[in-house]
Structure formats: structure tokens, C-alpha cells
Coordinates of all heavy atoms in Angstrom, one line a residue:
M1 N 29.1 37.5 12.0 CA 29.3 36.2 11.2 C 27.8 35.7 11.1 O 27.2 35.4 12.1 CB 30.2 35.3 11.9 CG 30.4 34.0 11.3 SD 31.7 33.1 12.2 CE 32.9 33.0 11.0
P2 N 27.4 35.1 10.0 CA 26.1 34.6 9.8 C 26.0 33.2 10.4 O 27.0 32.5 10.4 CB 25.7 34.6 8.4 CG 27.1 34.9 7.6 CD 28.0 35.4 8.7
V3 N 24.8 32.9 10.9 CA 24.7 31.5 11.4 C 24.1 30.5 10.4 O 23.2 30.9 9.6 CB 23.6 31.6 12.5 CG1 23.3 30.1 13.1 CG2 24.1 32.5 13.8
A4 N 24.8 29.5 10.2 CA 24.3 28.5 9.2 C 23.1 27.9 9.5 O 22.8 27.6 10.7 CB 25.4 27.4 9.1
T5 N 22.1 27.6 8.7 CA 20.8 27.0 8.9 C 20.9 25.6 8.2 O 21.6 25.5 7.0 CB 19.7 27.9 8.5 OG1 19.8 28.1 7.0 CG2 19.6 29.0 9.2
H6 N 20.1 24.8 8.6 CA 20.0 23.4 7.9 C 18.5 23.0 7.7 O 17.7 23.2 8.7 CB 20.8 22.4 8.9 CG 20.5 21.0 8.3 ND1 21.3 20.6 7.2 CD2 19.8 19.9 8.6 CE1 20.9 19.3 6.9 NE2 20.1 18.9 7.7
T7 N 18.2 22.8 6.5 CA 16.9 22.5 6.1 C 16.8 21.0 5.8 O 17.6 20.5 5.1 CB 16.4 23.4 5.0 OG1 16.6 24.7 5.4 CG2 14.9 22.9 4.7
T8 N 15.9 20.2 6.5 CA 15.7 18.8 6.1 C 14.4 18.7 5.2 O 13.4 19.2 5.6 CB 15.6 18.0 7.4 OG1 16.8 18.3 8.1 CG2 15.4 16.5 7.1
T9 N 14.6 17.9 4.2 CA 13.3 17.6 3.5 C 13.1 16.2 3.5 O 14.1 15.4 3.5 CB 13.4 18.3 1.9 OG1 14.5 17.7 1.3 CG2 13.5 19.8 2.1
T10 N 11.9 15.7 3.2 CA 11.6 14.4 3.3 C 11.5 14.0 1.8 O 10.6 14.6 1.1 CB 10.2 14.0 4.0 OG1 10.3 14.5 5.3 CG2 9.8 12.6 3.9
P11 N 12.2 12.9 1.4 CA 12.1 12.5 -0.1 C 10.7 12.2 -0.5 O 9.9 11.6 0.3 CB 12.9 11.4 -0.3 CG 13.9 11.5 0.9 CD 13.1 12.2 2.0
A12 N 10.2 12.5 -1.7 CA 8.9 12.3 -2.1 C 8.4 10.7 -2.0 O 7.4 10.4 -1.9 CB 8.6 12.8 -3.6
S13 N 9.5 9.9 -2.1 CA 9.2 8.5 -2.1 C 8.8 7.9 -0.8 O 8.2 6.8 -0.7 CB 10.6 7.7 -2.6 OG 11.5 7.8 -1.7
I14 N 9.0 8.7 0.3 CA 8.6 8.3 1.6 C 7.5 9.0 2.3 O 7.1 8.8 3.4 CB 9.8 8.0 2.6 CG1 10.5 9.3 2.8 CG2 10.7 6.9 2.1 CD1 11.6 9.1 4.0
Q15 N 7.1 10.1 1.5 CA 5.9 10.9 2.0 C 4.7 10.1 1.8 O 4.6 9.2 1.0 CB 5.9 12.2 1.4 CG 7.1 13.0 1.5 CD 6.9 14.4 0.7 OE1 6.2 14.6 -0.1 NE2 7.7 15.5 1.1
N16 N 3.7 10.4 2.8 CA 2.4 9.6 2.5 C 1.7 10.0 1.3 O 1.7 11.0 0.7 CB 1.3 10.1 3.6 CG 1.8 9.6 5.1 OD1 2.4 8.6 5.1 ND2 1.2 10.1 6.0
Q17 N 1.1 8.9 0.6 CA 0.5 9.1 -0.7 C -0.8 9.9 -0.5 O -1.4 9.8 0.6 CB 0.1 7.8 -1.1 CG 1.3 6.8 -1.5 CD 2.0 7.3 -2.8 OE1 1.4 8.0 -3.7 NE2 3.3 7.0 -2.9
P18 N -1.2 10.5 -1.5 CA -2.6 11.4 -1.4 C -3.6 10.3 -1.3 O -3.5 9.1 -1.6 CB -2.6 12.2 -2.7 CG -1.6 11.4 -3.7 CD -0.6 10.8 -2.7
S19 N -4.8 10.7 -0.6 CA -5.9 9.7 -0.4 C -6.8 9.7 -1.6 O -7.7 9.0 -1.4 CB -6.6 10.3 0.9 OG -7.2 11.5 0.6
S20 N -6.4 10.1 -2.7 CA -7.3 9.9 -3.9 C -7.4 8.5 -4.4 O -6.5 7.8 -4.1 CB -6.7 10.7 -5.1 OG -5.6 10.1 -5.6
S21 N -8.5 8.1 -5.0 CA -8.7 6.8 -5.3 C -7.7 6.2 -6.4 O -7.6 5.0 -6.6 CB -10.3 6.5 -5.6 OG -10.4 7.3 -6.8
S22 N -7.1 7.1 -7.0 CA -6.2 6.8 -8.2 C -4.8 6.5 -7.8 O -4.0 6.1 -8.6 CB -6.3 7.7 -9.3 OG -6.0 8.9 -9.0
A23 N -4.4 6.9 -6.6 CA -3.0 6.9 -6.0 C -2.6 5.5 -5.8 O -3.3 4.7 -5.5 CB -2.9 7.8 -4.8
S24 N -1.4 5.3 -6.1 CA -0.8 3.9 -5.9 C -0.6 3.9 -4.4 O -0.4 4.9 -3.8 CB 0.5 3.8 -6.6 OG 0.2 3.7 -8.1
L25 N -0.4 2.6 -3.9 CA -0.3 2.4 -2.5 C 0.8 1.5 -2.2 O 1.0 0.5 -3.0 CB -1.6 1.8 -1.9 CG -2.9 2.7 -1.9 CD1 -4.0 1.9 -1.5 CD2 -2.6 4.0 -1.0
S26 N 1.5 1.6 -1.2 CA 2.7 0.7 -0.8 C 2.8 0.7 0.7 O 2.2 1.5 1.4 CB 4.0 1.1 -1.5 OG 4.3 2.4 -1.2
F27 N 3.7 -0.3 1.2 CA 3.9 -0.4 2.6 C 4.2 0.8 3.2 O 5.2 1.6 2.7 CB 5.1 -1.5 2.7 CG 5.4 -1.8 4.1 CD1 4.6 -2.5 4.9 CD2 6.4 -1.2 4.8 CE1 4.9 -2.9 6.2 CE2 6.8 -1.4 6.0 CZ 6.0 -2.4 6.8
G28 N 3.6 1.2 4.4 CA 3.8 2.4 5.2 C 2.8 3.3 4.9 O 2.7 4.4 5.6
D29 N 2.1 3.3 3.8 CA 1.1 4.4 3.5 C -0.1 4.3 4.5 O -0.3 3.3 5.2 CB 0.5 4.3 2.0 CG 1.5 4.6 1.0 OD1 2.5 5.3 1.3 OD2 1.2 4.3 -0.2
T30 N -0.8 5.4 4.6 CA -1.9 5.5 5.5 C -3.0 6.4 4.9 O -2.7 7.0 3.9 CB -1.5 6.2 6.9 OG1 -1.1 7.6 6.6 CG2 -0.5 5.5 7.7
G31 N -4.3 6.2 5.4 CA -5.4 6.9 4.9 C -6.6 6.3 4.5 O -6.6 4.8 4.6
T32 N -7.5 6.9 4.0 CA -8.8 6.2 3.5 C -8.7 5.3 2.4 O -9.3 4.3 2.3 CB -9.8 7.3 3.2 OG1 -9.3 8.1 2.2 CG2 -10.2 8.1 4.5
S33 N -7.7 5.6 1.5 CA -7.4 4.6 0.3 C -6.9 3.3 0.8 O -7.3 2.3 0.3 CB -6.3 5.3 -0.6 OG -6.9 6.4 -1.3
V34 N -6.1 3.3 2.0 CA -5.6 2.0 2.6 C -6.8 1.3 3.1 O -7.0 0.2 3.0 CB -4.4 2.4 3.5 CG1 -4.0 0.9 4.2 CG2 -3.2 3.0 2.8
S35 N -7.6 2.0 3.8 CA -8.8 1.5 4.4 C -9.7 0.8 3.5 O -10.1 -0.4 3.6 CB -9.7 2.4 5.2 OG -8.9 2.9 6.3
T36 N -9.9 1.3 2.2 CA -10.7 0.9 1.1 C -10.1 -0.4 0.7 O -10.6 -1.4 0.5 CB -10.8 1.9 0.1 OG1 -11.6 3.0 0.5 CG2 -11.6 1.3 -1.2
L37 N -8.7 -0.3 0.4 CA -7.9 -1.6 0.1 C -8.1 -2.7 1.1 O -8.5 -3.9 0.7 CB -6.4 -1.2 -0.1 CG -5.5 -2.3 -0.2 CD1 -5.6 -3.1 -1.4 CD2 -4.0 -2.0 0.0
Q38 N -8.0 -2.5 2.2 CA -8.1 -3.4 3.3 C -9.6 -4.0 3.3 O -9.8 -5.3 3.4 CB -7.7 -2.9 4.8 CG -6.3 -2.5 4.8 CD -6.0 -1.8 6.1 OE1 -6.7 -0.9 6.6 NE2 -4.9 -2.0 6.6
N39 N -10.5 -3.2 3.2 CA -11.9 -3.6 3.1 C -12.1 -4.6 2.0 O -12.8 -5.7 2.0 CB -12.9 -2.5 3.1 CG -13.0 -1.7 4.4 OD1 -12.8 -2.2 5.3 ND2 -13.4 -0.5 4.3
D40 N -11.6 -4.2 0.7 CA -11.5 -5.0 -0.4 C -10.9 -6.3 -0.2 O -11.5 -7.3 -0.6 CB -11.1 -4.4 -1.7 CG -11.9 -3.2 -2.2 OD1 -13.1 -3.1 -1.8 OD2 -11.4 -2.4 -2.9
L41 N -9.8 -6.3 0.5 CA -9.0 -7.6 0.7 C -9.8 -8.4 1.7 O -9.8 -9.7 1.6 CB -7.6 -7.3 1.2 CG -6.8 -6.8 0.2 CD1 -5.4 -6.1 0.9 CD2 -6.3 -7.7 -0.9
V42 N -10.5 -7.9 2.6 CA -11.2 -8.6 3.7 C -12.4 -9.3 3.0 O -12.8 -10.5 3.1 CB -11.8 -7.8 4.8 CG1 -12.9 -8.4 5.7 CG2 -10.6 -7.3 5.7
S43 N -13.2 -8.5 2.1 CA -14.3 -9.1 1.5 C -14.1 -10.2 0.5 O -14.9 -11.0 0.2 CB -15.0 -7.9 0.6 OG -14.4 -7.5 -0.5
Q44 N -12.8 -10.3 0.0 CA -12.3 -11.4 -0.9 C -11.6 -12.5 -0.3 O -11.1 -13.4 -0.9 CB -11.4 -10.7 -2.1 CG -12.3 -9.8 -3.0 CD -11.6 -9.5 -4.3 OE1 -10.9 -10.4 -4.8 NE2 -11.9 -8.3 -4.8
G45 N -11.4 -12.3 1.1 CA -10.9 -13.5 1.9 C -9.5 -13.4 2.0 O -8.9 -14.4 2.4
Y46 N -8.7 -12.4 1.6 CA -7.3 -12.3 1.6 C -6.7 -11.8 2.9 O -5.6 -11.9 3.3 CB -6.7 -11.5 0.5 CG -6.7 -12.4 -0.8 CD1 -7.9 -12.0 -1.6 CD2 -5.8 -13.2 -1.2 CE1 -8.0 -12.8 -2.9 CE2 -6.1 -14.0 -2.4 CZ -7.0 -13.6 -3.2 OH -7.2 -14.5 -4.3
L47 N -7.7 -11.0 3.6 CA -7.3 -10.3 4.9 C -8.5 -10.6 5.9 O -9.5 -10.7 5.6 CB -7.2 -8.9 4.7 CG -6.5 -8.0 5.7 CD1 -5.1 -8.4 6.0 CD2 -6.3 -6.6 5.2
T48 N -8.1 -10.8 7.2 CA -9.1 -11.1 8.3 C -9.2 -9.8 9.1 O -8.0 -9.2 9.6 CB -8.7 -12.2 9.1 OG1 -8.5 -13.3 8.2 CG2 -9.7 -12.5 10.1
N49 N -10.2 -9.3 9.5 CA -10.5 -8.2 10.5 C -9.9 -8.5 11.8 O -9.9 -9.6 12.1 CB -12.0 -8.0 10.6 CG -12.7 -7.1 9.5 OD1 -12.0 -6.1 9.0 ND2 -13.9 -7.5 9.1
G50 N -9.4 -7.4 12.4 CA -8.8 -7.6 13.7 C -7.2 -7.9 13.7 O -6.6 -7.9 14.8
I51 N -6.7 -8.2 12.5 CA -5.3 -8.7 12.5 C -4.4 -7.6 11.9 O -3.2 -7.8 11.6 CB -5.0 -10.1 11.8 CG1 -5.4 -10.1 10.5 CG2 -5.8 -11.1 12.7 CD1 -4.8 -11.3 9.6
F52 N -5.0 -6.5 11.5 CA -4.2 -5.4 10.8 C -4.7 -4.1 11.4 O -5.7 -4.0 12.0 CB -4.5 -5.3 9.2 CG -5.9 -5.2 8.9 CD1 -6.5 -3.8 8.7 CD2 -6.8 -6.3 8.8 CE1 -7.9 -3.8 8.4 CE2 -8.2 -6.1 8.4 CZ -8.7 -4.9 8.3
T53 N -3.8 -3.0 11.2 CA -4.2 -1.7 11.7 C -5.0 -1.1 10.5 O -4.4 -0.8 9.5 CB -2.8 -0.9 11.9 OG1 -2.1 -1.7 12.9 CG2 -3.2 0.4 12.6
N54 N -6.3 -0.8 10.8 CA -7.1 -0.1 9.9 C -6.5 1.2 9.4 O -6.2 2.1 10.2 CB -8.5 0.0 10.4 CG -9.5 0.4 9.4 OD1 -9.5 0.0 8.4 ND2 -10.5 1.3 9.8
G55 N -6.4 1.4 8.1 CA -6.0 2.6 7.5 C -4.5 2.7 7.4 O -3.9 3.6 7.0
T56 N -3.7 1.6 7.7 CA -2.3 1.6 7.7 C -1.9 0.5 6.9 O -2.2 -0.7 7.0 CB -1.6 1.5 9.1 OG1 -2.0 2.7 9.8 CG2 -0.1 1.5 9.0
F57 N -1.0 0.7 5.8 CA -0.5 -0.4 5.0 C 0.6 -1.1 5.7 O 1.8 -0.7 5.5 CB 0.0 0.1 3.6 CG 0.0 -0.7 2.5 CD1 -0.4 -0.5 1.3 CD2 0.8 -2.1 2.7 CE1 -0.3 -1.5 0.2 CE2 0.9 -3.0 1.6 CZ 0.3 -2.6 0.5
D58 N 0.2 -2.0 6.6 CA 1.1 -2.7 7.5 C 1.6 -4.0 6.9 O 1.2 -4.3 5.8 CB 0.5 -2.8 8.9 CG -0.8 -3.6 8.9 OD1 -1.1 -4.3 7.8 OD2 -1.4 -3.7 9.9
A59 N 2.5 -4.7 7.6 CA 3.0 -5.9 7.1 C 1.9 -7.1 6.8 O 2.1 -7.8 5.7 CB 4.0 -6.5 8.1
T60 N 0.8 -7.0 7.6 CA -0.2 -8.1 7.3 C -0.9 -7.6 6.1 O -1.3 -8.4 5.3 CB -1.2 -8.0 8.6 OG1 -0.5 -8.2 9.7 CG2 -2.3 -8.9 8.3
T61 N -1.2 -6.3 5.8 CA -1.8 -6.0 4.6 C -0.9 -6.3 3.4 O -1.4 -6.7 2.4 CB -2.1 -4.4 4.6 OG1 -3.0 -4.1 5.8 CG2 -2.8 -3.9 3.6
L62 N 0.5 -6.0 3.5 CA 1.4 -6.2 2.5 C 1.2 -7.8 2.0 O 1.1 -8.1 1.0 CB 2.7 -6.0 3.0 CG 4.0 -6.3 1.9 CD1 3.8 -5.5 0.7 CD2 5.3 -6.1 2.6
R63 N 1.4 -8.7 3.1 CA 1.1 -10.1 2.8 C -0.2 -10.5 2.1 O -0.2 -11.3 1.0 CB 1.3 -10.9 4.1 CG 2.7 -10.9 4.5 CD 2.9 -11.9 5.7 NE 2.2 -11.6 6.9 CZ 2.6 -10.8 7.8 NH1 3.7 -10.2 7.8 NH2 1.9 -10.5 8.9
A64 N -1.3 -9.9 2.4 CA -2.5 -9.9 1.8 C -2.5 -9.5 0.3 O -3.0 -10.2 -0.6 CB -3.7 -9.4 2.6
V65 N -2.0 -8.3 0.2 CA -1.9 -7.8 -1.3 C -0.9 -8.7 -2.2 O -1.3 -9.2 -3.2 CB -1.2 -6.4 -1.2 CG1 -0.7 -6.0 -2.7 CG2 -2.1 -5.4 -0.6
Q66 N 0.2 -9.3 -1.5 CA 1.0 -10.2 -2.3 C 0.2 -11.5 -2.6 O 0.4 -12.0 -3.8 CB 2.3 -10.5 -1.6 CG 3.1 -9.2 -1.3 CD 4.3 -9.4 -0.5 OE1 4.2 -10.1 0.6 NE2 5.5 -8.7 -0.8
A67 N -0.5 -12.1 -1.7 CA -1.2 -13.3 -2.0 C -2.3 -13.0 -3.1 O -2.4 -13.7 -3.9 CB -1.9 -13.7 -0.7
F68 N -2.9 -11.9 -3.0 CA -4.0 -11.5 -4.0 C -3.4 -11.4 -5.4 O -3.7 -11.9 -6.4 CB -4.5 -10.2 -3.6 CG -5.6 -9.7 -4.7 CD1 -6.8 -10.2 -4.8 CD2 -5.1 -8.8 -5.5 CE1 -7.7 -9.7 -5.8 CE2 -5.9 -8.2 -6.6 CZ -7.3 -8.8 -6.7
Q69 N -2.2 -10.7 -5.4 CA -1.5 -10.5 -6.6 C -0.9 -11.8 -7.3 O -1.2 -12.0 -8.6 CB -0.2 -9.6 -6.5 CG -0.7 -8.2 -6.2 CD 0.5 -7.3 -5.9 OE1 1.5 -7.7 -5.2 NE2 0.5 -6.1 -6.3
C70 N -0.5 -12.7 -6.5 CA 0.0 -14.0 -7.0 C -1.3 -14.8 -7.5 O -1.2 -15.5 -8.7 CB 0.6 -14.8 -5.8 SG 2.4 -14.6 -6.0
A71 N -2.4 -15.0 -6.6 CA -3.6 -15.6 -7.0 C -4.3 -15.1 -8.4 O -4.7 -15.9 -9.1 CB -4.5 -15.6 -5.9
E72 N -4.2 -13.9 -8.7 CA -4.8 -13.2 -9.8 C -3.8 -13.2 -10.9 O -4.2 -12.7 -11.9 CB -5.3 -11.7 -9.3 CG -6.3 -11.7 -8.5 CD -7.6 -12.3 -8.9 OE1 -8.0 -12.1 -10.1 OE2 -8.3 -13.2 -8.1
G73 N -2.5 -13.6 -10.7 CA -1.7 -13.6 -11.9 C -1.1 -12.2 -12.3 O -0.6 -12.0 -13.3
I74 N -1.1 -11.4 -11.2 CA -0.6 -9.9 -11.6 C 0.9 -9.9 -11.4 O 1.5 -9.4 -12.4 CB -1.2 -8.9 -10.6 CG1 -2.9 -8.9 -10.8 CG2 -0.7 -7.4 -10.9 CD1 -3.6 -8.3 -9.7
V75 N 1.3 -10.2 -10.4 CA 2.9 -10.4 -10.1 C 2.9 -11.4 -8.9 O 2.1 -11.6 -8.2 CB 3.4 -8.9 -9.8 CG1 3.5 -8.0 -10.8 CG2 2.9 -8.4 -8.5
C76 N 4.2 -11.9 -8.9 CA 4.3 -12.9 -8.0 C 5.8 -12.7 -7.3 O 6.5 -12.0 -7.8 CB 4.2 -14.3 -8.3 SG 3.3 -15.4 -7.2
V77 N 6.1 -13.5 -6.4 CA 7.4 -13.6 -5.7 C 8.6 -12.9 -6.5 O 8.9 -13.7 -7.6 CB 7.8 -14.8 -4.9 CG1 9.1 -14.7 -4.3 CG2 6.7 -15.3 -4.1
G78 N 9.2 -12.1 -6.2 CA 10.5 -11.7 -7.0 C 10.2 -10.7 -8.0 O 11.1 -10.0 -8.6
D79 N 8.9 -10.7 -8.6 CA 8.6 -9.8 -9.7 C 8.5 -8.4 -9.4 O 8.2 -8.0 -8.2 CB 7.3 -10.2 -10.3 CG 7.3 -11.5 -11.0 OD1 8.3 -12.0 -11.4 OD2 6.1 -12.1 -11.2
Y80 N 8.9 -7.4 -10.3 CA 8.7 -6.1 -10.0 C 7.3 -5.6 -9.7 O 6.4 -6.0 -10.4 CB 9.2 -5.2 -11.2 CG 9.2 -3.7 -11.1 CD1 10.1 -3.0 -10.3 CD2 8.1 -3.0 -11.6 CE1 9.9 -1.7 -10.2 CE2 7.9 -1.7 -11.5 CZ 8.9 -1.0 -10.7 OH 8.9 0.3 -10.7
G81 N 7.0 -4.9 -8.6 CA 5.8 -4.6 -8.3 C 5.1 -5.4 -7.3 O 3.9 -5.1 -6.8
Y82 N 5.7 -6.5 -6.8 CA 5.2 -7.4 -5.9 C 4.9 -6.7 -4.7 O 5.8 -6.2 -4.0 CB 6.0 -8.6 -5.7 CG 5.5 -9.8 -5.0 CD1 4.4 -10.3 -5.1 CD2 6.4 -10.2 -3.9 CE1 3.8 -11.4 -4.4 CE2 5.9 -11.3 -3.1 CZ 4.6 -11.8 -3.4 OH 4.3 -12.9 -2.6
G83 N 3.6 -6.6 -4.2 CA 3.2 -6.0 -3.0 C 2.9 -4.4 -3.1 O 2.4 -3.7 -2.1
F84 N 3.0 -3.9 -4.4 CA 2.7 -2.4 -4.7 C 1.4 -2.5 -5.3 O 1.1 -3.3 -6.2 CB 3.8 -1.9 -5.5 CG 3.6 -0.4 -6.1 CD1 4.0 0.4 -5.2 CD2 3.1 -0.3 -7.3 CE1 3.8 1.7 -5.6 CE2 2.8 1.1 -7.8 CZ 3.2 2.0 -6.8
V85 N 0.6 -1.6 -4.8 CA -0.9 -1.5 -5.3 C -1.0 -0.3 -6.3 O -1.1 0.8 -6.0 CB -1.8 -1.3 -4.2 CG1 -3.3 -1.2 -4.8 CG2 -1.8 -2.4 -3.1
G86 N -0.7 -0.8 -7.6 CA -0.8 0.2 -8.6 C -2.1 -0.1 -9.5 O -3.0 -0.7 -9.1
P87 N -2.1 0.3 -10.7 CA -3.2 0.2 -11.6 C -3.8 -1.1 -11.8 O -5.0 -1.3 -11.8 CB -2.9 0.9 -12.9 CG -1.8 1.8 -12.6 CD -1.0 1.3 -11.4
K88 N -2.9 -2.2 -12.1 CA -3.3 -3.5 -12.3 C -4.1 -4.1 -11.1 O -5.0 -4.7 -11.3 CB -2.2 -4.4 -12.8 CG -1.8 -4.1 -14.2 CD -0.6 -4.9 -14.6 CE 0.0 -4.6 -15.9 NZ 1.1 -5.6 -16.4
T89 N -3.4 -3.9 -9.9 CA -3.8 -4.5 -8.7 C -5.1 -3.8 -8.3 O -6.3 -4.4 -8.0 CB -2.8 -4.4 -7.6 OG1 -1.8 -5.0 -8.0 CG2 -3.5 -5.0 -6.3
R90 N -5.3 -2.4 -8.5 CA -6.5 -1.6 -8.2 C -7.6 -2.1 -9.1 O -8.7 -2.3 -8.7 CB -6.3 -0.2 -8.4 CG -5.5 0.5 -7.3 CD -5.5 2.0 -7.6 NE -5.0 2.6 -6.5 CZ -5.8 2.9 -5.5 NH1 -7.0 2.7 -5.6 NH2 -5.2 3.7 -4.5
A91 N -7.4 -2.4 -10.4 CA -8.4 -2.8 -11.3 C -8.9 -4.2 -11.0 O -10.1 -4.4 -11.0 CB -7.9 -2.8 -12.8
A92 N -8.1 -5.1 -10.6 CA -8.3 -6.5 -10.2 C -9.4 -6.5 -9.0 O -10.1 -7.3 -8.9 CB -7.1 -7.4 -10.1
L93 N -9.0 -5.5 -8.0 CA -9.8 -5.3 -6.8 C -11.1 -4.6 -7.0 O -12.0 -4.6 -6.2 CB -9.0 -4.7 -5.7 CG -7.9 -5.6 -5.1 CD1 -7.0 -4.6 -4.3 CD2 -8.5 -6.6 -4.2
G94 N -11.3 -4.0 -8.2 CA -12.5 -3.2 -8.4 C -12.3 -1.8 -7.8 O -13.5 -1.2 -7.4
M95 N -11.2 -1.3 -7.5 CA -11.0 -0.1 -6.9 C -11.1 1.2 -7.9 O -10.4 1.2 -8.8 CB -9.7 0.1 -6.0 CG -9.7 -1.0 -4.9 SD -8.0 -0.9 -4.1 CE -8.1 0.6 -3.2

């Protein structure tokens, strides 16, 4: 009698984003693109060194992204894309 096997796959939506500069970023992502995002947010005064995990899109980074997006008129509370770093947010940050 054959033995059943079980394969588990991770959905693409929760896998780490590639580190290319054109990739969108969201909560939970890691890598050099997140570090670049954090550095940009620090330089613009939306994030403070020492209160976030470098290279990890953590809750502190998310709040900074959301504050930036609202201030720049990109998206705001409740709008689709709020806290997601896509082309509009990247362009506003100069990424």
C-alpha cells in the first residue's frame, strides 16, 4: 500500500518580496529594499533610528509609511493601499 505524502506550499502573497528596487513592499517584508525605505523615512522625519528593526517592515515602519502617505496625499486612513509601498509611494519617496 503506498504511503500518502503531503506537500505544503506558501502562498505567493506571504512570501518575502524580491529585493529589487521596483518591488512593492508591505508589512512583514524583509531585505535591503526595506532598509532603503526605512532610511528614506528617517531622512524625511517620519521614522526615528533605534525604534524599528532595520531591514524588517515592522509595525513602526508601517505607521511611518502611513503617516508619509497621508501627509503626501497618496492614500489615507481606510483607503485602498494605505500602508502598502507601491509605485506612487516609491515615487514620492524618490526610490
Side-chain angles (χ1 to χ4, degrees):
M1 182 178 240
V3 175
T5 59
H6 178 72
T7 304
T8 303
T9 58
T10 303
S13 62
I14 62 173
Q15 291 177 349
N16 285 341
Q17 295 287 333
S19 63
S20 72
S21 62
S22 63
S24 296
L25 299 169
S26 60
F27 183 77
D29 287 342
T30 60
T32 57
S33 290
V34 176
S35 294
T36 300
L37 167 66
Q38 291 167 325
N39 290 336
D40 289 346
L41 291 168
V42 166
S43 71
Q44 294 196 30
Y46 290 94
L47 194 58
T48 303
N49 280 319
I51 63 167
F52 60 91
T53 304
N54 191 34
T56 299
F57 199 131
D58 56 11
T60 303
T61 303
L62 175 64
R63 287 189 297 276
V65 166
Q66 291 170 332
F68 174 81
Q69 289 173 322
C70 268
E72 294 295 316
I74 299 167
V75 293
C76 214
V77 179
D79 291 338
Y80 178 76
Y82 186 52
F84 178 81
V85 181
K88 287 182 181 179
T89 302
R90 284 182 168 281
L93 284 166
M95 293 178 72

